[in-house]
Amino acid sequence: GRARGGRERLRALALPLSPEAIVALPAEQLRAALGSAGTPRWQLALARDIRRRGRNKEAARRCRRRRLEALAGLRAELGRLGRERERLLRARGLAERALGTLRGELERVTRLVLGDIGDTAG
C-alpha cells in the first residue's frame, strides 16, 4: 500500500539511515549521524521532514489511545453514577414512606392529645 511505496521511494533516495532510525534517534545523534556522512542539504531536509512526520504520527497514536482511555473511564464513571442514582432513589423512597408513617403517627397522637384535652375541659 501507501507505506510500502513510500519506503521504496525513500530507499531510492539513498538516505544513510532508515526512516525508523531517523524518527527514533535523539536529535543530537541524528545530527551527528547525518553530519558525519557528508549528507547533502536536500537529504537533511528530507530527514527532518521524515522525522517530523514520524513524530507527529506517534503523537497522534498516543492522542488516540489517551482519548479511548478517557472514554472508557467516562463510561465506567457513567455506570457508577447510574448505580448511585438508583441507590439514592431507593433511599429517598424509603425515607418518604418513613416520613409518611411518622406524619400519620403524629396526626394520630395529636388527635388523642387534643381529644383528651377536650374530654377533661368538658
Side-chain angles (χ1 to χ4, degrees):
R2 195 171 144 193
R4 195 181 80 235
R7 285 195 184 99
E8 289 170 4
R9 282 194 300 274
L10 282 174
R11 248 193 305 278
L13 292 173
L15 284 172
L17 296 168
S18 71
E20 293 80 14
I22 290 172
V23 172
L25 277 176
E28 287 297 317
Q29 289 180 4
L30 179 63
R31 274 193 289 279
L34 293 176
S36 66
T39 311
R41 277 185 195 265
W42 67 269
Q43 282 186 334
L44 291 173
L46 179 61
R48 274 194 302 275
D49 188 55
I50 290 168
R51 181 178 178 81
R52 180 181 50 78
R53 289 173 189 248
R55 292 286 173 121
N56 188 61
K57 203 178 284 189
E58 290 171 5
R61 189 177 300 122
R62 285 190 306 270
C63 181
R64 285 189 295 272
R65 190 191 73 238
R66 280 193 308 269
R67 187 183 66 228
L68 289 174
E69 288 170 355
L71 274 172
L74 288 172
R75 282 191 184 104
E77 179 74 359
L78 186 60
R80 187 190 68 72
L81 289 172
R83 290 187 300 277
E84 177 75 1
R85 179 180 182 273
E86 291 301 319
R87 186 189 67 74
L88 290 170
L89 286 172
R90 283 191 304 274
R92 185 175 85 180
L94 289 172
E96 285 173 348
R97 283 191 293 282
L99 182 59
T101 302
L102 288 172
R103 282 187 175 144
E105 190 65 20
L106 178 61
E107 194 175 312
R108 187 184 66 76
V109 169
T110 303
R111 274 196 311 272
L112 275 174
V113 169
L114 291 178
D116 285 349
I117 293 172
D119 289 346
T120 57

